[in-house]
């Protein structure tokens, strides 16, 4: 069963996968992120409108601390063939670039490799959902490499490994049934965040 990643599309924990939801399928998900306490959350919904395409809408919001309003993000993925897909994340929020990527690897999201680019509409856009930063206050690199992988621990539980250009996440995803799964992930320190962070979330199928 495909589950929504942190950026809305079906995939591992933070990287889009090669597969899409079954035609007409939909999933909703919530993920909370923080250090000793949660300070950020995302709601997202993903829908497959054909056998090889899906779209998602994502809403980020602060649990505590920052109070500014954010605009919803939009994402889409098209499966070209079993071992290749293209995906995009469009972020209309101030200071954020859009990301497009080509994905390849092994079907079932056992291994996903991606090469992409970030697109800035104006010089003030310095952040993105994917990509490497040389320093915490520098602009994200225009070209990025991403990696996602799934390892089956048992019939219901998967170990996920993700790298998004800046973030490295090790996670566990446990499926209670086809409609409900639970996510837990650990962000290692990066150039943007110098401490470990946690992800806790759940996926709901329709």
């Amino acid at each position: 069963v495909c589950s929504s990643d942190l950026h809305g599309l079906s995939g591992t924990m933070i990287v889009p996968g090669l597969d899409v939801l079954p035609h007409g399928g939909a999933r909703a998900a919530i993920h909370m992120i923080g250090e000793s306490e949660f300070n950020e959350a995302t709601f997202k919904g993903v829908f497959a409108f054909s056998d090889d395409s899906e779209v998602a809408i994502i809403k980020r919001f602060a649990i505590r601390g920052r109070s500014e309003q954010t605009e919803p993000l939009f994402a889409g993925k098209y499966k070209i063939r079993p071992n290749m897909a293209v995906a995009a994340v469009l972020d209309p929020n101030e200071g954020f670039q859009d990301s497009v990527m080509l994905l390849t690897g092994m079907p079932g999201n056992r291994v996903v490799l991606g090469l992409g680019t970030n697109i800035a509409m104006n010089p003030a856009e310095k952040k993105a959902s994917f990509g490497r930063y040389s320093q915490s206050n520098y602009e994200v690199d225009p070209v990025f490499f991403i990696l996602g992988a799934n390892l089956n621990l048992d019939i219901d539980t998967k170990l996920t490994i993700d790298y998004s250009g800046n973030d490295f996440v090790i996670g566990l995803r446990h499926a209670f049934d086809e409609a409900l799964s639970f996510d837990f992930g650990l962000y290692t320190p990066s150039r943007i965040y110098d401490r470990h962070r946690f992800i806790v979330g759940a996926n709901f199928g329709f």
Side-chain angles (χ1 to χ4, degrees):
V1 177
C2 294
S3 292
S4 173
D5 67 18
L6 199 67
H7 302 295
L9 298 170
S10 61
T12 49
M13 198 68 68
I14 60 173
V15 170
L18 297 174
D19 297 329
V20 298
L21 295 176
H23 184 190
R27 291 189 77 84
I30 180 172
H31 291 92
M32 296 179 290
I33 305 169
E35 297 173 8
S36 58
E37 56 186 16
F38 296 115
N39 51 31
E40 180 182 340
T42 60
F43 281 124
K44 70 278 295 184
V46 56
F47 173 73
F49 59 88
S50 73
D51 291 332
D52 49 21
S53 303
E54 65 184 26
V55 293
I57 184 169
I58 309 98
K59 176 65 175 177
R60 292 189 299 235
F61 65 93
I63 299 175
R64 54 176 55 86
R66 298 170 302 166
S67 59
E68 68 268 19
Q69 294 292 317
T70 60
E71 298 294 330
L73 284 69
F74 300 92
K77 180 167 58 176
Y78 176 72
K79 185 176 180 179
I80 301 171
R81 52 178 185 253
N83 66 342
M84 184 174 291
V86 291
V89 176
L90 307 179
D91 192 336
N93 289 284
E94 183 178 354
F96 282 84
Q97 301 180 19
D98 301 326
S99 303
V100 295
M101 65 208 78
L102 175 68
L103 306 166
T104 188
M106 301 174 66
N109 298 338
R110 286 173 289 176
V111 177
V112 178
L113 302 173
L115 181 66
T117 184
N118 292 311
I119 302 170
M121 298 302 176
N122 64 69
E125 296 178 345
K126 299 184 180 298
K127 300 179 181 179
S129 297
F130 301 92
R132 176 183 176 274
Y133 297 81
S134 57
Q135 298 290 338
S136 62
N137 58 344
Y138 284 13
E139 184 175 356
V140 66
D141 288 349
V143 177
F144 59 83
F145 168 78
I146 57 177
L147 166 68
N150 269 328
L151 175 64
N152 292 327
L153 300 181
D154 60 38
I155 192 171
D156 296 319
T157 307
K158 296 179 180 180
L159 173 70
T160 63
I161 301 172
D162 292 84
Y163 173 71
S164 67
N166 179 70
D167 296 318
F168 182 78
V169 176
I170 299 175
L172 290 173
R173 173 168 286 154
H174 179 78
F176 294 96
D177 52 39
E178 290 189 357
L180 176 63
S181 62
F182 174 79
D183 294 339
F184 175 80
L186 172 67
Y187 279 94
T188 62
S190 67
R191 290 180 173 85
I192 302 298
Y193 299 97
D194 59 2
R195 298 181 181 180
H196 287 89
R197 294 179 295 151
F198 298 94
I199 305 171
V200 174
N203 267 266
F204 309 91
F206 299 98

